[in-house]
Amino acid sequence: MTLNNPLFSLEGKTALVTGSSRGLGQAIAVGLAGAGARVVLNGVNADRLEEAAGAMRALGHAVEVEAFDVTDEAAVVAAFERLDDADRPIDILVNNAGIQLRKPLIELKAEEWRRVIDTNLTSAFFVGREAAKRMIPRGYGKIVNIGSLMSAFARPTVAPYTAAKGGIKLLTQSMAAEWAEYGIQANAIGPGYMLTDMNEALTSNPQFDSWVKGRTPSRRWGKPEELVGAAVFLASAASDYVNGQILYVDGGMSAVL
């Protein structure tokens, strides 16, 4: 079922969502499909991707899969070449792939730093660049990068994640600065603390759970599906003059001290 307001309709559009076999990416993929888009799921685990795709197809959604590592530049280029060969132009890109690593900054190894930066930030550059190369000649494209509260704020033990998500905010602005004249809108979503597998260690920690609920005006954790409205807005014609922005979906946490 699609939305009635044509401004928010994604009928006839194809959306690639990276890191979409589960978690936030899967919720966003389902939401975009519900607005009418054909969705291309991405991840490195082909079996998990097919499982996610099957669940979406059971709901009547048009879904395809592309298994590739977003941190591997050659693999990203090859994936877009496959999409080209199959005549599947990407109209909407959601750069969602990401990982977390909790460790004191002075204990971080160089390879740990690079792994988080590559997965959360460099991948968005690789995939965004290849998407834009194809969007620019068509004069149309929507890029939605997934940032975080950490795009603007820091907490102990998550330095590489914070640096990467801060980079996502400015990468988004750079994409807008260079590509807006070609009809491309690049924006970001900054989720707050969400109920995902990545945050399981935090949600099961009574002290941290209490801190999140006390610090968030909504007094609760967010649900992955609560990102769908922002994603559909930024992927649709409703946001055609919105560019280079980050929309925080955080229950009000970023609005208070």
Side-chain angles (χ1 to χ4, degrees), residues 96-218:
N96 167 77
I99 58 172
Q100 180 59 286
L101 173 68
R102 294 181 175 88
K103 196 171 186 179
L105 191 56
I106 60 171
E107 297 177 10
L108 274 174
K109 298 177 181 178
E111 60 267 26
E112 293 173 327
W113 173 272
R114 283 193 291 266
R115 181 163 61 91
V116 177
I117 296 294
D118 286 350
T119 306
N120 292 279
L121 177 59
T122 307
S123 69
F125 158 63
F126 287 158
V127 184
R129 180 192 64 190
E130 294 308 306
K133 284 180 180 179
R134 292 147 175 89
M135 292 173 173
I136 287 171
R138 301 199 308 267
Y140 178 87
K142 298 281 187 173
I143 297 175
V144 182
N145 297 319
I146 303 302
S148 166
L149 272 173
M150 302 298 109
S151 295
F153 307 99
R155 279 189 56 79
T157 74
V158 290
Y161 183 85
T162 303
K165 292 303 185 179
I168 282 289
K169 179 180 179 180
L170 288 172
L171 176 63
T172 300
Q173 292 176 338
S174 296
M175 289 175 169
E178 295 198 20
W179 301 337
E181 65 180 297
Y182 302 108
I184 298 171
Q185 288 84 54
N187 293 288
I189 298 173
Y193 285 96
M194 312 296 287
L195 294 169
T196 63
D197 292 343
M198 185 184 291
N199 285 330
E200 187 174 354
L202 302 181
T203 58
S204 60
N205 181 319
Q207 184 178 0
F208 199 90
D209 177 65
S210 178
W211 178 84
V212 169
K213 291 174 180 175
R215 178 70 171 74
T216 306
S218 295

